[in-house]
């Protein structure tokens, strides 16, 4: 009986797990308490760092590369990243159910596009 319960739990768990969407991220970022604001900024910075490192691993980030979504200025502030992502989510409500990390990529790509090497 215990084996049946474990198997049923394993099968049901993926159905109950929901992805963290752009809308969820935006709701977190609109809260005014310090913990929520910190969590919002940390998520965006962490996602940006993860995307950057992934691109670095597949071919570098010294300029526009295939698949490179954004090129951050050296002196960019965390609030600028948050503002860019929130603006993208607000301007693209049809995409708000995309994965939150995807929305970070798209938002930063819109605000900080890579310039083509000449």
């Amino acid at each position: 009986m215990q084996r049946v319960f474990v198997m049923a739990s394993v099968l049901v768990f993926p159905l109950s797990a929901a992805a963290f969407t752009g809308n969820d991220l935006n709701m977190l970022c609109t809260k005014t308490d310090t913990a929520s604001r910190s969590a919002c900024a940390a998520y965006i910075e962490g996602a940006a760092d993860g995307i950057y490192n992934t691109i670095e691993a597949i071919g570098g980030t010294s300029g526009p590369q295939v698949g490179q979504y954004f090129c951050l200025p050296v002196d960019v502030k965390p609030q600028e990243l948050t503002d860019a992502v929130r603006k993208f989510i607000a301007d693209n409500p049809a995409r708000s159910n995309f994965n939150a990390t995807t929305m970070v990529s798209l938002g930063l790509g819109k605000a900080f596009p890579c310039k083509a090497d000449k």
Side-chain angles (χ1 to χ4, degrees):
M1 185 65 176
Q2 185 177 10
R3 178 180 279 169
V4 172
F5 178 73
V6 170
M7 289 303 292
S9 298
V10 169
L11 293 174
V12 171
F13 179 74
L15 299 175
S16 65
F20 190 61
T21 67
N23 191 46
D24 296 330
L25 178 60
N26 196 46
M27 287 189 330
L28 175 65
C29 293
T30 58
K31 293 181 179 179
T32 58
D33 63 285
T34 303
S36 295
R37 292 177 64 82
S38 295
C40 167
Y43 184 91
I44 292 171
E45 289 178 60
D49 191 45
I51 295 160
Y52 179 91
N53 288 327
T54 299
I55 293 167
E56 177 85 1
I58 62 170
T61 56
S62 60
Q65 304 290 324
V66 173
Q68 188 167 352
Y69 297 112
F70 55 85
C71 293
L72 298 178
V74 176
D75 59 348
V76 70
K77 307 277 188 284
Q79 188 61 50
E80 293 175 281
L81 302 179
T82 299
D83 292 345
V85 172
R86 291 194 56 212
K87 179 173 177 10
F88 185 82
I89 294 169
D91 291 347
N92 295 277
R95 296 180 179 179
S96 65
N97 285 325
F98 284 14
N99 180 284
T101 301
T102 300
M103 296 302 283
V104 170
S105 296
L106 295 172
L108 295 179
K110 180 78 173 169
F112 305 101
C114 297
K115 311 256 187 305
D117 291 336
K118 294 181 181 178

